Amino acid sequence: MLGTEVAANAALMSMGLDSIAAVEFASAVGEAVGKTSFSAIMLFDHPTVDSITSYLAAELAELEAQKAESLERVAALRRTKQDRSSALRCV
């Protein structure tokens, strides 16, 4: 399958993608985006390039939202710590 042009709506398994290649693909995608929980099952649940792309876009949007939420929590904790330090200095 490597080097083969694949239509966006073609079922990858019917093009010769096997379970070993599915595991390798999921692992490579996980490494590329910094998330290790992608499973080879995603290729069975999302069997075409179009559906994989949509799935990954949604997953990455969720990761970005979680990252933004985490950063906001850290900023809020810093503000709280600074407020407490300022209050202690005033006493």
Side-chain angles (χ1 to χ4, degrees):
M1 193 169 164
L2 185 60
T4 303
E5 190 170 319
V6 178
N9 62 352
L12 296 173
M13 295 298 175
S14 69
M15 299 286 300
L17 185 75
D18 61 15
S19 58
I20 293 171
V23 169
E24 291 172 350
F25 177 82
S27 177
V29 168
E31 285 181 28
V33 299
K35 180 180 176 185
T36 58
S37 64
F38 284 120
S39 168
I41 293 173
M42 81 172 156
L43 291 170
F44 295 94
D45 293 340
H46 308 280
T48 67
V49 173
D50 277 343
S51 61
I52 291 170
T53 302
S54 295
Y55 168 74
L56 291 176
E59 286 290 307
L60 293 175
E62 183 179 325
L63 284 173
E64 285 298 315
Q66 290 172 356
K67 180 180 174 182
E69 184 178 314
S70 293
L71 290 173
E72 180 53 40
R73 285 183 186 161
V74 168
L77 287 171
R78 286 183 179 158
R79 287 190 299 272
T80 300
K81 184 178 177 181
Q82 289 172 348
D83 291 346
R84 286 182 183 162
S85 293
S86 296
L88 288 174
R89 278 187 246 137
C90 293
V91 173

